[in-house]
Amino acid sequence: SPPEKAMVCFGNMFIELPKAKTREMLRQDQEELDEEINNLRKELRVKVNRLYEAQGKPELKGFNLNPMSAEEMKLINRILEG
């Protein structure tokens, strides 16, 4: 049977933790990173629009598009496959 613990690297040391705890920590970290990435994308759009406005250029077209979710991509692939 597979071991019930996983080795996790924190900085320059490895710690053995239960797999369930490790999985939960990774899930939480990924959620926080996804949220931070989305916030940075929103801020970037505003800043780029302000920069273009200050330069007297027209607003970028298509810059406010949002990426497709994993579920939307699955549906598109399903349609394309037939």
Side-chain angles (χ1 to χ4, degrees):
S1 67
E4 296 299 318
K5 295 194 175 200
M7 296 294 290
V8 182
C9 181
F10 289 103
N12 61 353
M13 69 179 154
F14 283 88
I15 300 174
E16 194 171 19
L17 295 173
K19 278 188 177 182
K21 177 70 174 171
T22 303
R23 188 176 291 119
E24 180 61 24
M25 287 172 40
L26 290 172
R27 186 191 60 75
Q28 286 178 343
D29 284 349
Q30 189 62 51
E31 285 178 4
E32 290 174 14
L33 290 171
D34 288 342
E35 185 177 326
E36 186 175 343
I37 288 168
N38 287 331
N39 289 338
L40 289 171
R41 282 182 179 150
K42 288 176 188 173
E43 291 174 17
L44 179 63
R45 290 176 183 155
V46 171
K47 290 177 181 179
V48 168
N49 283 334
R50 248 190 269 149
L51 177 64
Y52 269 69
E53 183 180 311
Q55 293 175 343
K57 296 179 180 178
E59 185 178 317
L60 282 175
K61 294 184 192 279
F63 192 66
N64 290 324
L65 298 175
N66 292 320
M68 293 173 64
S69 68
E71 185 177 319
E72 291 170 328
M73 284 301 297
K74 285 179 187 176
L75 292 171
I76 294 292
N77 287 333
R78 212 178 283 159
I79 291 169
L80 292 174
E81 289 174 358

